[in-house]
Amino acid sequence: MAAGAACCYRPAAAGRASLDAFATSSPSLRPSSSGVFFISSSSSRWWMRRRRGEGKVRISSGSSSRARAKPMSRPALFSPVAMEWQECSTEIEVDVPCSVAYQCYSERETIPQWMPFISSVKILEDKPDQSRWTLKYEILGRDVEFSWLARNMTPTKNQKIHWRSLEGLQNRGAVRFFPKSSSSCRVQLTVAYEVPEILAPVASALKPFLEGLLMQGLERFATFAKERYSKIPQP
């Protein structure tokens, strides 16, 4: 095809007369010496389409956007999979003042002493608001081990401690302290986490299982805090 021609068609004899008449009035349609009609690409308002099974040419008007072929959509090579998030929450009443419970929970490196599935917590020396956590436990028949770097957000003294992970196992959570009396308080623990791929097949059973573990941890925390409180000289 000659440069500058958009398409071409050799019409049947039956449709030649009408096409010759139209070509005379349209500068965008021109015949070649071989009898082939060309539609020049300089005019995008006219295009030719052959009816299937007929020796005729239909010439229609339309905008350049209609004449332009629509790109075919292709499936993405890599489709991101949104992992499921779950949230667990539990609470317990502790026979110590809010200030004591708050102080005990603030000591992050002692958490493995009472939280059953946390094996270690190490505070970064150069960034004391950040700490590295390791989880080792048999969860629903699977031996798992995860680690993450967490950052403690600005706390509200004697009321709230909260954090979020920066890398590793994605999670965030908060511990809230509500006074019940001068010597007791209610501790509420909420943890949200992204279900690891290895545990996705048992995701429906994961939440109640972990809530049970969190309750065990809070029960042990209550004992831990009471022992600490008993060693504080009372006025």
Side-chain angles (χ1 to χ4, degrees):
M1 179 180 293
C7 60
C8 66
Y9 178 67
R10 184 186 302 273
R16 180 62 183 248
S18 59
L19 189 59
D20 286 342
F22 178 79
T24 305
S25 60
S26 176
S28 62
L29 185 65
R30 55 185 177 83
S32 68
S33 57
S34 61
V36 176
F37 282 78
F38 291 90
I39 298 178
S40 173
S41 62
S42 62
S43 174
S44 59
R45 292 184 55 81
W46 301 97
W47 56 279
M48 300 173 64
R49 185 176 63 188
R50 180 182 181 183
R51 287 182 177 176
R52 184 171 298 177
E54 299 180 10
K56 296 181 180 180
V57 175
R58 175 182 295 179
I59 303 176
S60 305
S61 61
S63 62
S64 58
S65 61
R66 293 178 182 176
R68 193 176 298 121
K70 294 183 179 180
M72 295 179 62
S73 59
R74 297 181 179 179
L77 294 178
F78 301 99
S79 299
V81 178
M83 300 301 290
E84 178 183 356
W85 275 76
Q86 291 184 348
E87 182 176 285
C88 298
S89 184
T90 188
E91 60 182 59
I92 194 172
E93 188 170 330
V94 184
D95 294 329
V96 300
C98 274
S99 58
V100 175
Y102 174 88
Q103 182 60 39
C104 290
Y105 215 111
S106 296
E107 299 172 2
R108 284 165 286 169
E109 292 186 339
T110 67
I111 290 179
Q113 296 181 29
W114 47 265
M115 187 59 76
F117 55 86
I118 299 299
S119 58
S120 67
V121 180
K122 299 295 182 183
I123 297 175
L124 274 59
E125 294 183 0
D126 56 337
K127 297 178 181 179
D129 64 329
Q130 298 183 22
S131 50
R132 295 195 177 276
W133 296 61
T134 303
L135 179 156
K136 290 182 181 180
Y137 207 75
E138 181 181 329
I139 299 179
L140 300 174
R142 291 168 168 79
D143 292 322
V144 297
E145 177 176 347
F146 301 105
S147 62
W148 63 91
L149 176 66
R151 177 187 177 187
N152 270 34
M153 314 304 286
T154 304
T156 304
K157 187 175 181 180
N158 299 336
Q159 296 182 35
K160 180 182 178 182
I161 298 171
H162 57 130
W163 72 90
R164 64 179 179 87
S165 64
L166 301 178
E167 61 182 37
L169 180 66
Q170 293 298 302
N171 69 92
R172 57 183 179 267
V175 189
R176 295 175 173 85
F177 307 88
F178 305 93
K180 297 286 290 183
S181 68
S182 59
S183 60
S184 66
C185 66
R186 180 166 55 93
V187 179
Q188 182 187 73
L189 172 61
T190 302
V191 178
Y193 53 89
E194 185 179 57
V195 177
E197 185 176 357
I198 190 175
L199 297 175
V202 293
S204 60
L206 186 59
K207 179 177 179 179
F209 177 80
L210 288 181
E211 286 183 336
L213 286 181
L214 292 177
M215 177 54 73
Q216 292 180 31
L218 286 186
E219 290 172 348
R220 294 167 63 175
F221 171 77
T223 302
F224 177 84
K226 286 176 67 175
E227 290 179 356
R228 175 72 63 87
Y229 184 54
S230 66
K231 298 175 182 180
I232 299 176
Q234 303 300 316

